[in-house]
Amino acid sequence: GGMNVLFIVVDDLRPVLGCYGDKLVKSPNIDQLAFQSIVFSNAYAQEAVCAPSRVSFLTGRRPDTTRLYDFYSYWRVHAGNYSTMPQYFKENGYVTLSVGKVFHPGVSSNYSDDYPYSWSIPPFHPSTEKYENDKTCRGKDGKLYANLVCPVDVTEMPSGTLPDIQSTEEAIRLLNVMKTNKQKFFLAVGYHKPHIPLRYPQEFLKLYPLENITLAPDPWVPEKLPTVAYNPWTDIRQRDDVKALNVSFPYGPLPDDFQRQIRQSYYAAVSYLDMQVGLLLNALDDVGLSNSTIVVFTADHGWSLGEHGEWAKYSNFDVATRVPLMFYVPGMTTSSVSQGERVFPYLDPFSHILGLVPQGRSKKVVELVSLFSTLAELAGLQVPPVCPETSFHVALCTEGASIVRYFNVSEEKVKEEKDGCDDTYRCFNEEPVAFSQYPRPADTPQWNSDKPKLKDIRIMGYSMRTIDYRYTVWVRFNPNNFSANFEDVHAGELYMVETDPNQDYNIYNNTSHGVFFKKILG
């Protein structure tokens, strides 16, 4: 009994996908998956940076419980010995497998991707990952650079390949092993692109002629944006091509033509990713497991493409916190699939234009911290209990309610029906809410504002997103005892979704916000 799970997590992918209404991108394989899935159009990460977000959704705990806001601690030692989602599947008889970037590598996953707790065999990392930041990008002068914008000839790359290509090949190999051994599996596949550097096979550029690429709708720093909220995109400034532009810190805008090139390469990297996902799902068909495997597709957070004069993640804006999230569940999101029927034929991004609409779409606001309980429920395992108020001592519990209850919602009914929502979860008058947060070292942008180390954090931006608004308060934070002082508010932001979908007009100072403030305190 029980379904397999194929869990696909992408680094830094905002929802620039056809199935999310993007008109420019070519993403036929992910769109084909969406066509068979329930797609969440309002899904948010709990912190817009890799390690904290991943540890949060893999443990089902929020960053204030994992105590990971940077890259430099292992939750089992530093916070509590929390069970992870793959560990729970492993303890329930699954073979758990990790390919590529699933946990953030390094100290935050004990230099082992949390093996052997989380995985049945040691995680696979592509051998060419180590060249990611090397000088592999050919400049106009024929020399090699470590650029941000980096279309490459794959045959010239070390070993003649790229990390995501290797991850796809390994994942396909493992699917075949599982099929042969008839083992029930939880296979997590973590793709690197479109994480910087934007290094992808150069042929994908031809999908996106530069004249079709616009700037962000709001490429300026908003007048009423508190300085503490701004992220100065230090990481991209360190790439050779950006360095050569000599842009002033922290607000100096990138030249328009270079902004277009970044956006063009981000899109090209997404189409390269789409090809990998297409090959992987096609292999699931090949081994005949599409009718017995749940497929989840998501990202660890988004990435700003020039909106608000910002690049990269490191903020509480929707462009940084919003992620794609879809679930394919045979017999639930699709009519049951007969053995051997092809669900995911590979589609070539260069020739396929798909006008498919997702099977089901939910506008409900949901959080990645809900993934653990949601996947447990979908797989028929016991859903882990709700965490008590303080849960550092509790190994197995979750701070994110399962969202399976939203799966069979037909959009028309949504308005009148009350949210089936039990009291243990903060329901806010039946209104689903997504919480995100971001730490800062100071009230004004400085060199470490994007990624402050724990000891340097002085302010925490707590942010709350509902269907109608995003409300953020930046409050004093003490890293020695992990305490936030909501009586010491440094700045605030309030954006109304209907009138200001891009979050450019902060109305915090001309609105009474006591009601929002009470909600964020829970």
Side-chain angles (χ1 to χ4, degrees), residues 60-247:
R61 318 279 183 121
R62 299 179 187 279
D64 282 346
T65 308
T66 66
R67 293 188 160 172
L68 182 67
Y69 311 109
D70 60 15
F71 295 81
Y72 307 106
S73 68
Y74 180 40
W75 78 92
R76 291 185 193 273
V77 170
H78 180 78
N81 188 23
Y82 312 145
S83 294
T84 67
M85 171 166 59
Q87 176 182 357
Y88 190 60
F89 275 83
K90 180 166 159 260
E91 287 164 358
N92 278 281
Y94 282 71
V95 177
T96 56
L97 306 160
S98 174
V99 171
K101 184 174 170 184
V102 180
F103 278 100
H104 191 86
V107 65
S108 66
S109 56
N110 204 31
Y111 301 99
S112 65
D113 298 272
D114 198 45
Y115 176 79
Y117 295 100
S118 286
W119 310 108
S120 305
I121 61 173
F124 170 87
H125 284 280
S127 61
T128 62
E129 212 172 89
K130 55 179 171 291
Y131 308 113
E132 267 298 272
N133 294 311
D134 291 6
K135 294 181 187 277
T136 57
C137 321
R138 207 168 284 294
K140 292 210 163 66
D141 57 7
K143 295 200 187 83
L144 290 174
Y145 295 92
N147 286 343
L148 169 63
V149 170
C150 186
V152 296
D153 177 344
V154 178
T155 61
E156 288 179 6
M157 291 299 101
S159 310
T161 188
L162 291 170
D164 286 344
I165 296 173
Q166 291 184 291
S167 291
T168 302
E169 290 164 354
E170 175 65 9
I172 291 172
R173 189 188 74 79
L174 288 169
L175 285 176
N176 281 286
V177 171
M178 292 299 106
K179 165 74 172 172
T180 307
N181 299 351
K182 297 190 167 50
Q183 283 171 301
K184 194 163 63 167
F185 63 84
F186 177 104
L187 169 59
V189 182
Y191 285 114
H192 280 267
K193 293 305 113 179
H195 191 288
I196 70 166
L198 299 169
R199 194 168 73 113
Y200 55 85
Q202 59 197 16
E203 57 271 23
F204 286 94
L205 265 182
K206 49 176 196 282
L207 291 173
Y208 302 103
L210 208 48
E211 61 268 21
N212 296 355
I213 307 290
T214 59
L215 297 180
D218 52 349
W220 54 85
V221 179
E223 191 190 333
K224 294 189 172 162
L225 182 67
T227 53
V228 69
Y230 183 80
N231 78 281
W233 35 282
T234 319
D235 58 349
I236 79 165
R237 294 171 193 271
Q238 287 152 8
R239 318 296 311 180
D240 292 345
D241 50 355
V242 180
K243 217 182 273 174
L245 298 168
N246 241 334
V247 179

